[in-house]
């Protein structure tokens, strides 16, 4: 439940996707099929794209607050 909440909120996206992938791998190795192979693939794709996926959720908001990016200059 925590992994799903973190992924929906976009908070710690890469870590939540990695933990979700490990949970799905455990279900897969126990012999339970169903949607687990698809979910494992999707969670690994989210983990691979975590740098981009973090811009849309709370990760992006916290990153801007932490880094304090300078304001863009306007061309005159």
């Amino acid at each position: 439940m925590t992994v799903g909440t973190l992924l929906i909120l976009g908070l710690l996206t890469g870590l939540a996707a990695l933990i979700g992938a490990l949970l799905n791998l455990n279900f897969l190795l126990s012999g339970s099929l169903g949607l687990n192979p698809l979910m494992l693939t999707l969670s690994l794709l989210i983990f691979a794209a975590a740098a981009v996926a973090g811009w849309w959720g709370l990760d992006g908001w916290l990153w801007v607050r932490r880094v304090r990016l300078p304001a863009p200059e306007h061309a005159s």
Side-chain angles (χ1 to χ4, degrees):
M1 188 163 126
T2 304
V3 172
T5 304
L6 289 175
L7 286 174
I8 288 172
L9 293 176
L11 184 63
L12 302 173
T13 309
L15 180 64
L18 182 64
I19 292 171
L22 291 175
L23 286 171
N24 278 318
L25 183 64
N26 283 333
F27 286 129
L28 245 166
L29 292 176
S30 71
S32 171
L33 286 178
L35 289 177
N36 286 328
L38 176 64
M39 294 301 229
L40 177 64
T41 306
L42 288 176
S43 58
L44 290 176
L45 287 173
I46 291 172
F47 177 70
V52 178
W55 285 102
W56 282 84
L58 291 176
D59 281 343
W61 185 74
L62 291 174
W63 181 257
V64 170
R65 296 272 185 226
R66 188 176 69 158
V67 174
R68 299 280 182 195
L69 297 174
E73 297 179 17
H74 296 286
S76 300

